Amino acid sequence: MIRAATVHDVPEIRAMIRELAAYERAADQARATEEQLREALFGEHPAAFVLIAEDDETGGIAGFALWFPRFSTWTGTRGMYLEDLYVRPHTRGAGHGRALLAALAAICRERGFERFEWVVLDWNEPAIAFYTSLGAELLEEWKVCRLSGAPLAGLAASAPDVVRGQAV
């Protein structure tokens, strides 16, 4: 079963985020607290949304998908960005990942989103094979760029005074 997450799922969502980070060899980078997730997912202005996959036989939480809307200047339409898709190892192969992706695709169609995008680590061959089996196109020519820590702070410090301190 696929369902929308509730505030009561936050501890399990956080646990799965940490499990995913460990799988992706970056456990030390998964620092989100339950309080941060509660605010981000269920606060006054949600930053993201989560679907939960429950195992039909046990009723336990098998996985999750965390997504948020995005906008394409090229198409002039909204789209969906999938931040995390995770299915717990002991429940893999039962169709939970495919069901989560299908539910997200249905949300895209219902809302008129033209694009559904995410990234995958280049060494994660099982995930790559799974995504391409669904018809996903790997955009090899695009590279993810990220600013964080000191480089982000340094660039921000060079912003014009007109921008600093203003909500955009």
Side-chain angles (χ1 to χ4, degrees), residues 72-131:
S72 170
T73 57
W74 289 16
T75 66
T77 61
R78 288 181 180 240
M80 177 183 286
Y81 184 80
L82 175 61
E83 177 69 17
D84 286 328
L85 174 70
Y86 179 70
V87 175
R88 288 182 157 146
H90 68 280
T91 64
R92 291 183 186 155
H96 301 297
R98 188 179 201 300
L100 283 164
L101 289 172
L104 293 170
I107 292 169
C108 287
R109 299 290 293 174
E110 288 168 8
R111 297 185 184 187
F113 294 175
E114 289 191 20
R115 291 182 177 167
F116 176 21
E117 297 176 328
W118 62 93
V119 297
V120 62
L121 290 167
D122 62 359
W123 57 261
N124 193 343
E125 292 297 329
I128 291 169
F130 172 59
Y131 297 145

Side-chain angles (χ1 to χ4, degrees), residues 146-158:
R146 176 181 296 154
L147 275 176
S148 61
L152 177 61
L155 184 59
S158 72

